Amino acid sequence: MKLVVTGGAGFIGSCFIRHILSKYPDYSVINLDALTYAGNIQNLDDVKDNPNYSFVHGNICDKKLVSKLFEDADAVVNFAAESHVDRSISGPEIFVQTNVQGTLNLLQAAKEFKLKRYLQVSTDEVYGSLQKDGYFYETTPLAPNSPYSASKAGADLLVRAYFETYKLPVVITRCSNNYGPYQYPEKLIPFFISQLLKGKKVPVYGDGLNVRDWLYVYDHCKAIDLVLHKGREGEVYNIGGHNEKTNLEITRIILSAMGKDESSISFVEDRLGHDRRYAIDNTKIHTQLGWSPSLTFEEGIKLTIDWYLNNQNWIKQIEEKKGSV
């Protein structure tokens, strides 16, 4: 299989590429990434010399480039997206451009060149917010509450429309919060670790009781692999870890691992439109495809914190790059 992976220099995309190249030695992978602030080609240093891997610096909004890459491709997995909620609140335009228009370009090219599979990597945030009880199901109505999640919901609806209208062989995955190595340090876990390493306090939004379902990134990538190869055309698959934690619980776990106490917490004004709770029901992918997380949260979070503590130079390089932009 010749696979195009968009956004493959990012956190989840780079993990997926490593997984595919390791599991399928006869596959070739083209990584198309614009290398915006969150893209880091060094995330794939360990596979850059693999003869089955190639990198193309470019944007999914570039129709000509996308068409060229899709000419003899078999499938595409679209990770490329602007993804940070806070950034979408202060500057929503780029989120619509990349997440909606970029997705449309990919769909058009996939239709033109008759790709055998189009997989859209989405998020549970398109469902909106949950109260104390209940879960997100694949049939839950979309109710996004931020410009980021609205742009992802718009992309998902375009993907669905291309299946219904053109019978393009699409699948959509919607995952819960990912954590693990190589995550850009604006996200909660690596950001808090980075702050504590500098002797600074960690900023916790509101009362810290917003709940997220956490999923280790390598388990997520294994699920995407299954959906890519065995998922039913036109279907949505929710991918969750059944690890609901409040932001305050996550903060305390990080503090404990780094020998800090709660004096290192600074409660700050809550984010605009901050969803209270996300929780995914993953029954469908478990019963249809046999997927379930391989690691407990306790195992995954220990591996994650240890990785960041052992790779402080990686964080430093990211922050130096950020400061030079």
Side-chain angles (χ1 to χ4, degrees):
M1 178 184 286
K2 188 171 185 178
L3 182 63
V4 176
V5 177
T6 65
F11 166 47
I12 305 174
S14 61
C15 174
F16 180 74
I17 288 174
R18 286 192 297 272
H19 168 76
I20 290 294
L21 290 173
S22 173
K23 184 174 178 181
Y24 304 102
D26 57 335
Y27 281 25
S28 63
V29 175
I30 298 172
N31 174 14
L32 172 63
D33 199 293
L35 294 184
T36 55
Y37 77 95
N40 184 1
I41 198 61
Q42 294 176 342
N43 289 354
L44 289 160
D45 276 351
D46 54 339
V47 301
K48 65 182 180 181
D49 296 325
N50 188 315
N52 291 334
Y53 170 74
S54 59
F55 171 71
V56 176
H57 186 194
N59 197 302
I60 61 172
C61 293
D62 185 337
K63 293 182 180 180
K64 186 176 180 180
L65 175 60
V66 168
S67 292
K68 182 179 178 181
L69 295 179
F70 280 25
E71 280 180 350
D72 58 349
D74 296 304
V76 59
V77 179
N78 181 28
F79 291 95
E82 297 286 342
S83 66
H84 192 49
V85 174
D86 286 347
R87 288 176 182 264
S88 80
I89 293 170
S90 60
E93 294 87 356
I94 187 63
F95 285 75
V96 174
Q97 180 181 339
T98 299
N99 299 354
V100 181
Q101 184 62 53
T103 296
L104 178 61
N105 290 343
L106 297 177
L107 289 166
Q108 279 286 87
K111 177 172 74 74
E112 179 182 355
F113 295 106
K114 297 181 172 57
L115 265 62
K116 299 173 184 175
R117 180 72 95 185
Y118 178 104
L119 192 153
Q120 177 78 2
V121 180
S122 189
T123 170
D124 59 357
E125 295 190 43
V126 300
Y127 295 124
S129 184
L130 288 168
Q131 299 303 313
K132 288 185 178 181
D133 301 316
Y135 294 93
F136 292 137
Y137 301 93
E138 287 83 359
T139 54
T140 300
L142 304 189
N145 291 320
S146 72
Y148 159 62
S149 55
S151 67
K152 291 295 288 185
D156 286 5
L157 291 174
L158 278 172
V159 174
R160 180 184 185 277
Y162 268 66
F163 173 73
E164 295 293 339
T165 303
Y166 305 111
K167 305 307 176 187
L168 189 69
V170 308
V171 280
I172 299 172
T173 61
R174 294 181 181 141
C175 69
S176 55
N177 277 36
N178 276 216
Y179 68 98
Y182 298 104
Q183 188 170 27
Y184 190 79
E186 69 183 353
K187 303 292 187 177
L188 190 148
I189 292 174
F191 177 59
F192 280 15
I193 293 172
S194 174
Q195 289 292 98
L196 293 169
L197 286 171
K198 298 173 188 172
K200 296 182 179 181
K201 292 189 176 185
V202 294
V204 174
Y205 281 129
D207 58 10
L209 299 182
N210 299 75
V211 176
R212 299 293 181 262
D213 175 18
W214 292 87
L215 176 66
Y216 192 57
V217 64
Y218 287 94
D219 279 330
H220 182 199
C221 291
K222 292 174 185 176
I224 295 171
D225 174 13
L226 275 173
V227 174
L228 175 66
H229 290 90
K230 298 181 180 180
R232 298 176 184 173
E233 292 181 7
E235 295 286 322
V236 175
Y237 291 89
N238 283 348
I239 306 170
H242 277 308
N243 289 306
E244 288 186 55
K245 304 288 181 184
T246 66
N247 289 344
L248 195 54
E249 285 180 285
I250 297 294
T251 303
R252 286 169 173 159
I253 289 170
I254 296 170
L255 291 174
S256 176
M258 297 184 67
K260 304 287 185 177
D261 60 30
E262 294 195 21
S263 65
S264 292
I265 296 176
S266 173
F267 289 94
V268 298
E269 184 178 352
D270 206 357
R271 167 194 284 163
L272 294 173
H274 199 178
D275 292 332
R276 193 61 172 173
R277 174 175 172 257
Y278 304 146
I280 273 184
D281 180 278
N282 61 18
T283 300
K284 181 176 178 178
I285 191 171
H286 176 69
T287 55
Q288 287 191 10
L289 305 182
W291 178 87
S292 59
S294 64
L295 291 180
T296 65
F297 179 78
E298 291 70 24
E299 292 169 333
I301 196 65
K302 183 180 186 307
L303 289 173
T304 299
I305 293 173
D306 287 348
W307 188 89
Y308 286 108
L309 294 180
N310 291 325
N311 290 273
Q312 294 182 36
N313 283 338
W314 182 87
I315 296 177
K316 185 178 179 180
Q317 289 173 354
I318 294 289
E319 292 177 339
E320 287 175 349
K321 176 185 173 184
K322 180 180 178 183
S324 66
V325 173

